[in-house]
Amino acid sequence: RIFQSASDASKAVAEEIAELIKQRQKEGKNAILGLATGSSPKTVYAELIRMHKEEGLSFKNVISFNLDEYYPMQPDAIQSYWRFMREQLFNHVDIPEGNYHIPDGTVSPQMLAQHCEEYEKMIEDAGGLDFQLLGIGGNGHIGFNEPGSHENSRTRLMMLDHSTRAAAKADFGGELTKVPKKAITMGVSKILSAKRVVLLAWGERKAPKIADAVEGVVSEHNPASYLQQHPNALFVVDEAAASEL
Ligand code: GLP
């Protein structure tokens, strides 16, 4: 779906998420959301906060799992995705603490494999993802599944591409050496297991990878292209990101 602006698009996506939450409330069930960081979802979160404050949308029945976290990373560091999610959404709505999950950037190397396995198990035990929100990296990555990630990949430690680290540099005081070399990411298979997947992309910079992901061959070279194989995936883009379609 192509929208005139990121703002119109974000409202439509927030509306869909709100409908899901309310539907699950009616059924007396939890809504299990997969959430993303990066600049793209910020406007969706802002709209959800508005709906909470002005329309009484409650997040009490929301259980969420974030896609990724840098490794290593302290939760209170400025660049942590833990902090990002609290500042951009969780601190402003009534989601109970304990209902949101983010991969732990402080886990010891010895415990990493177990942590990743437990993260997937928590998602399964919650009933699986009803909805997965995604951004897209300049190289086509989803979460931190860099090019080369297999469609069956599981939650794991990923070496970040140079281009990914360069794009993140500004968040780390402009110093590439300060950008972590690794991150924990939910695997492609878990992302694809969500009942609904919505990928957001704004701006011309994303246009080539969007065109390739939507119209090109499905390939590990562009992990976003795996969404072509999903029965209920939607790319939500503004006109600039759609310009090469
Ligand atoms: C990071 C995140 C991704 C996100 C990407 C794009 O790499 N791990 O999940 O999609 O950035 O970010 P932005 O939305 O700021 O372009």
Side-chain angles (χ1 to χ4, degrees), residues 36-41 67-68 81 134-137 141-144 164 205-206:
T37 52
S39 57
S40 311
L67 285 165
D68 46 17
Y81 286 168
L134 293 177
I136 178 170
H141 72 214
I142 48 177
F144 269 132
T164 299
R205 191 170 63 88
K206 301 288 171 73

Side-chain angles (χ1 to χ4, degrees), residues 64-218:
S64 72
F65 294 91
N66 260 78
L67 285 165
D68 46 17
E69 178 61 284
Y70 289 111
Y71 186 83
M73 181 56 69
Q74 292 297 323
D76 57 355
I78 299 177
Q79 303 88 356
S80 93
Y81 286 168
W82 171 263
R83 183 168 177 152
F84 175 100
M85 287 309 298
R86 289 172 63 98
E87 288 178 353
Q88 298 296 325
L89 181 63
F90 301 147
N91 284 353
H92 310 284
V93 297
D94 60 346
I95 187 169
E97 266 201 61
N99 275 26
Y100 54 87
H101 307 87
I102 297 170
D104 182 358
T106 70
V107 75
S108 71
Q110 294 78 6
M111 297 301 285
L112 245 172
Q114 191 181 329
H115 176 61
C116 292
E117 228 167 87
E118 282 168 4
Y119 199 73
E120 295 221 342
K121 176 124 196 329
M122 273 194 293
I123 298 174
E124 281 148 32
D125 290 348
L129 298 167
D130 291 315
F131 182 100
Q132 176 66 59
L133 188 63
L134 293 177
I136 178 170
N139 61 0
H141 72 214
I142 48 177
F144 269 132
N145 290 285
E146 299 285 28
S149 293
H150 195 273
E151 62 179 303
N152 292 331
S153 59
R154 295 175 61 86
T155 300
R156 67 204 185 288
L157 192 66
M158 188 84 223
M159 288 295 293
L160 298 178
D161 276 13
H162 175 74
S163 68
T164 299
R165 293 182 64 232
K169 205 170 72 171
D171 296 335
F172 290 83
E175 288 186 62
L176 188 62
T177 51
K178 294 216 169 120
V179 183
K181 292 196 169 70
K182 297 173 189 171
I184 302 172
T185 184
M186 201 187 276
V188 175
S189 68
K190 190 52 80 198
I191 292 171
L192 295 179
S193 75
K195 294 183 190 83
R196 166 82 162 162
V197 182
V198 173
L199 183 147
L200 314 172
W202 325 132
E204 221 178 295
R205 191 170 63 88
K206 301 288 171 73
K209 282 293 165 189
I210 287 295
D212 186 48
V214 174
E215 295 172 348
V217 289
V218 177

